[in-house]
């Protein structure tokens, strides 16, 4: 038929364009098509490799501890998952072909040409291992078939003088394991050509929460000018449902980042008597994290002395620390893309006041009982929150912060602990935000458990010896077949352990 001839013609034309582009790029010494030979070390990578950083990246790895084959499997898994989800949703017909479009994070500047530290979009890194801006991953897929293309921007000699090399087309194919690499300037033409050959097309792109405005404009222009796209939806919910279950390689990285974070906080607690300001406590935990191999802190830490701890997201770290005050430190590190998130509260001088001891033991008991209640396949994150309200509420009644005859215990508990008690943890601190907190916890998931109690200094309804006390205790847990593994167990938290450490 004429339609079939037209499709055949367009497909041949697109293949010809790719061949012409390949020849043009090859003419300048850069290859972007898949080669049967191993890539020669010494190319343009723009990030640590097994050839340039043998102390970090082992043979066959793209990122620390994660093989190229695992990244390929992740791309195949998301393609299979999206098609299955689309079929199961039963919302309209399923496209014959699909495109997942995922841009890298855009570099941000604090002023003029001074950049902020670059951190890759987590979902993009999960699927590629690429740590560089100016790149876009496109996965072409249908049932039982997928193919990945990385659109990237090679640096000019001028760019390389200022910012170093960026990954080249051939390096992207051989090192990252994508099927093809092309100039990012060709993305728009690629989309139009692909759509002409595949008019019944499903596009997976997060158009409601774009991460890169430049690429978003290209995508919006393409979508607005194309009237035969079958469906447009975000792939992030499906991605987060995959990411929430950690592979063995990811579990190893989570153990490492939590061990580093726990030890850094332990060393900081030990030197408490030597430190006199929140800024010094912050400097200590960052120093200790980096000295053990962490890339950087995973988030702006909370280092709050005394009443500052009652501002839950206090990050100023500008106050002096008195020996009689509690120090609440919520800090974690990032180790090759994976984050820890640990909180400890302790008396700066090593001795608990009566009010501090009562509040601390109430929070610690709550946390220990919540951890003990976790049953893989049954417990949910939202369920832990309901349990926390009950356990903490009764503990606060026992120390006199809540009346024993109060009618609405959960509401009164919320006054003292207004935040959730748990979240997923992984490549992001608050990881996999699209994954449900109502699903049963499964082996391979990593979560936090972090009850707290906050009593502002001006809370006149409580006994004076409680006022100005803020306390939170947080650990990182790996869900296992038989229960949980406390990944942050290296940092002490019992009263005796803390007193002995500071003494």
């Amino acid at each position: 038929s004429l339609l079939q001839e037209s499709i055949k013609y367009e497909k041949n034309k697109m293949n010809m364009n790719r061949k012409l582009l390949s020849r043009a790029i090859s003419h300048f010494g850069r290859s972007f098509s898949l080669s049967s030979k191993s890539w020669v070390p010494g190319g343009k990578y723009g990030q640590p490799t097994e050839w340039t950083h043998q102390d970090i990246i082992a043979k066959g790895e793209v990122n620390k501890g994660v093989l190229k084959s695992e990244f390929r499997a992740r791309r195949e898994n998301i393609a299979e998952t999206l098609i299955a989800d689309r079929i199961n949703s039963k919302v309209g017909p399923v496209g014959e072909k699909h495109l997942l479009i995922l841009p890298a994070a855009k570099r941000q500047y604090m002023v003029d040409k001074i950049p902020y530290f670059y951190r890759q979009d987590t979902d993009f890194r999960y699927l590629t291992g690429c740590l560089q801006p100016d790149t876009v991953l496109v996965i072409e897929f249908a049932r039982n078939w997928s193919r990945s293309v990385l659109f990237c921007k090679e640096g000019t000699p001028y760019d390389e003088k200022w910012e170093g090399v960026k990954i080249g087309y051939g390096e992207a194919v051989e090192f990252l394991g994508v099927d093809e690499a092309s100039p990012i300037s060709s993305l728009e033409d690629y989309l139009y050509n692909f759509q002409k050959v595949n008019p019944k097309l499903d596009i997976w792109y997060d158009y409601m929460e774009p991460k890169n405005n430049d690429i978003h404009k290209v995508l919006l222009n393409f979508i607005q000018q194309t009237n035969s796209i079958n469906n447009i939806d975000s792939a992030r919910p499906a991605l987060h449902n995959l990411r929430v279950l950690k592979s063995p390689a990811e579990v190893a990285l989570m153990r490492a980042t939590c061990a580093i974070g726990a030890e850094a906080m332990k060393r900081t607690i030990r030197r408490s008597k030597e430190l006199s300001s929140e800024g010094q406590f912050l400097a200590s935990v960052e120093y200790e994290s980096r000295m053990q191999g962490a890339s950087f802190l995973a988030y702006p830490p909370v280092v709050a002395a005394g009443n500052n701890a009652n501002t839950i997201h206090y990050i100023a770290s500008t106050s002096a620390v008195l020996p009689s005050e509690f120090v609440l430190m919520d800090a974690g590190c990032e180790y090759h893309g994976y984050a820890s998130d640990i909180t400890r509260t302790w008396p700066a001088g090593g001795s608990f006041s009566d009010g501090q001891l009562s509040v601390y033991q109430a929070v610690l008991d709550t946390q220990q009982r919540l951890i003990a209640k976790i049953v893989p396949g049954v417990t949910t994150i939202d369920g832990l929150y309901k349990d926390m309200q009950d356990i903490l509420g009764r503990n606060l009644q026992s120390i006199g912060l809540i009346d024993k005859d109060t009618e609405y215990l959960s509401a009164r508990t919320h006054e003292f602990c207004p935040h959730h008690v748990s979240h997923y943890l992984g490549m992001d601190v608050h990881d996999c935000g699209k994954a449900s907190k109502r699903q049963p916890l499964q082996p391979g998931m990593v979560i936090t458990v972090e009850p707290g109690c906050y009593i502002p200094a001006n809370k006149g309804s409580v006994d004076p010896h409680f006022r100005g006390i803020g306390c939170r205790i947080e650990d990182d847990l790996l869900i296992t077949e038989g229960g949980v593994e406390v990944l942050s167990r290296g940092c002490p938290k019992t009263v005796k352990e803390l007193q002995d450490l500071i003494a």
Side-chain angles (χ1 to χ4, degrees):
S1 69
L2 290 176
L3 178 60
Q4 290 173 327
E5 289 296 323
S6 175
I7 292 174
K8 183 177 179 181
Y9 169 76
E10 293 293 345
K11 188 172 184 179
N12 289 336
K13 185 169 73 172
M14 185 167 67
N15 289 334
M16 181 60 71
N17 287 340
R18 285 177 175 167
K19 289 178 181 178
L20 289 172
L21 183 58
S22 176
R23 291 172 186 169
I25 294 170
S26 296
H27 178 71
F28 292 99
R30 315 300 303 142
S31 171
F32 77 100
S33 58
L34 188 61
S35 170
S36 60
K37 298 180 180 179
S38 296
W39 185 249
V40 179
K44 295 186 176 184
Y45 298 102
Q47 66 185 69
T49 72
E50 62 181 278
W51 305 289
T52 60
H53 294 71
Q54 295 179 354
D55 58 321
I56 298 175
I57 308 296
K59 184 176 178 59
E61 293 178 350
V62 174
N63 292 167
K64 171 75 173 181
V66 187
L67 294 169
K68 177 165 63 176
S69 58
E70 180 163 334
F71 284 105
R72 185 182 300 114
R74 291 172 181 179
R75 294 192 291 271
E76 293 171 353
N77 286 344
I78 188 59
E80 294 172 1
T81 298
L82 289 173
I83 286 184
D85 288 352
R86 189 80 176 85
I87 293 172
N88 293 335
S89 70
K90 298 179 181 179
V91 180
V94 180
E96 295 176 0
K97 289 288 179 69
H98 300 248
L99 282 184
L100 185 157
I101 304 166
L102 188 59
K106 186 175 176 61
R107 186 182 294 279
Q108 303 293 329
Y109 292 84
M110 61 180 74
V111 63
D112 194 20
K113 297 180 180 180
I114 308 301
Y116 286 105
F117 179 83
Y118 183 76
R119 187 178 187 273
Q120 186 58 277
D121 176 84
T122 307
D123 291 329
F124 182 88
R125 179 172 183 169
Y126 177 79
L127 291 178
T128 66
C130 179
L131 306 182
Q132 300 163 62
D134 303 319
T135 48
V136 179
L137 173 67
V138 175
I139 303 179
E140 310 169 358
F141 60 101
R143 299 189 189 192
N144 304 315
W145 172 86
S146 65
R147 181 174 174 275
S148 56
V149 183
L150 190 77
F151 291 85
C152 51
K153 180 183 178 182
E154 285 194 329
T156 65
Y158 179 83
D159 296 331
E160 292 176 3
K161 180 182 291 186
W162 289 93
E163 298 182 354
V165 299
K166 296 180 180 179
I167 195 161
Y169 307 119
E171 290 87 345
V173 171
E174 294 295 342
F175 174 56
L176 299 179
V178 294
D179 297 301
E180 185 177 312
S182 294
I184 197 167
S185 58
S186 69
L187 175 62
E188 190 166 12
D189 286 342
Y190 162 87
L191 293 172
Y192 282 107
N193 285 333
F194 191 90
Q195 190 275 331
K196 287 178 182 178
V197 178
N198 304 283
K200 294 182 179 180
L201 180 64
D202 278 7
I203 292 181
W204 300 90
Y205 170 68
D206 196 1
Y207 64 95
M208 295 298 291
E209 299 179 38
K211 304 297 183 180
N212 186 312
N213 287 332
D214 293 339
I215 301 302
H216 186 58
K217 290 176 183 177
V218 172
L219 267 294
L220 281 185
N221 187 53
F222 166 67
I223 291 168
Q224 290 168 356
Q225 295 188 32
T226 305
N227 57 15
S228 61
I229 293 174
N230 185 59
N231 189 65
I232 304 172
D233 207 347
S234 173
R236 291 195 190 268
L239 262 172
H240 288 193
N241 285 334
L242 292 177
R243 281 181 44 216
V244 79
L245 291 168
K246 307 297 185 282
S247 70
E250 292 181 292
V251 168
L253 288 164
M254 289 303 303
R255 287 193 175 109
T257 190
C258 293
I260 291 171
E263 182 62 25
M265 192 168 291
K266 177 182 176 180
R267 294 179 184 181
T268 297
I269 296 171
R270 180 184 289 127
R271 63 165 62 100
S272 291
K273 291 182 179 180
E274 305 168 19
L275 308 175
S276 59
S277 70
E278 293 168 343
Q280 290 177 350
F281 278 87
L282 189 158
S284 174
V285 75
E286 181 168 11
Y287 169 80
E288 296 293 354
S289 295
R290 286 179 177 267
M291 288 301 291
Q292 295 177 81
S295 308
F296 37 80
L297 293 183
Y299 52 93
V302 174
V303 183
N307 193 51
N308 290 338
N310 293 303
T311 301
I312 295 172
H313 287 162
Y314 172 85
I315 59 172
S317 298
T318 55
S319 295
V321 178
L322 302 177
S324 61
E325 292 180 318
F326 257 173
V327 175
L328 187 157
M329 177 177 284
D330 184 337
C333 64
E334 183 166 313
Y335 179 78
H336 297 288
Y338 289 80
S340 54
D341 183 6
I342 305 166
T343 306
R344 292 292 185 268
T345 307
W346 68 94
S351 298
F352 289 80
S353 69
D354 290 343
Q356 289 171 343
L357 184 60
S358 295
V359 172
Y360 189 85
Q361 289 178 324
V363 173
L364 178 61
D365 177 74
T366 300
Q367 195 218 30
Q368 291 174 328
R369 289 168 64 183
L370 286 172
I371 293 172
K373 285 175 68 71
I374 294 174
V375 179
V378 177
T379 306
T380 68
I381 285 180
D382 281 351
L384 283 173
Y385 177 68
K386 293 180 180 178
D387 290 340
M388 182 273 288
Q389 287 185 311
D390 179 63
I391 297 171
L392 180 62
R394 295 181 187 281
N395 282 346
L396 296 185
Q397 284 179 318
S398 71
I399 64 174
L401 276 171
I402 297 177
D403 294 337
K404 292 189 176 181
D405 59 352
T406 188
E407 187 174 358
Y408 301 105
L409 181 59
S410 61
R412 290 301 316 279
T413 304
H414 186 76
E415 291 180 23
F416 292 95
C417 185
H419 58 72
H420 209 299
V421 76
S422 180
H423 58 79
Y424 296 117
L425 182 66
M427 297 180 78
D428 288 323
V429 176
H430 283 238
D431 203 34
C432 301
K434 304 293 184 181
S436 173
K437 292 182 178 180
R438 296 180 179 179
Q439 63 177 318
L441 296 173
Q442 301 294 335
M445 292 181 175
V446 179
I447 65 168
T448 65
V449 175
E450 48 181 307
C453 180
Y454 312 94
I455 313 164
N458 61 359
K459 194 173 182 66
S461 60
V462 302
D463 192 286
H465 77 291
F466 287 127
R467 295 173 193 170
I469 294 174
C471 175
R472 182 166 65 252
I473 305 171
E474 176 181 20
D475 279 295
D476 304 335
L477 279 59
L478 169 68
I479 308 302
T480 65
E481 293 288 347
V484 299
E485 176 185 341
V486 181
L487 301 178
S488 51
R489 61 188 178 276
C491 188
K493 63 182 177 182
T494 69
V495 170
K496 185 177 187 308
E497 287 172 338
L498 291 172
Q499 289 176 326
D500 289 346
L501 188 61
I502 300 170

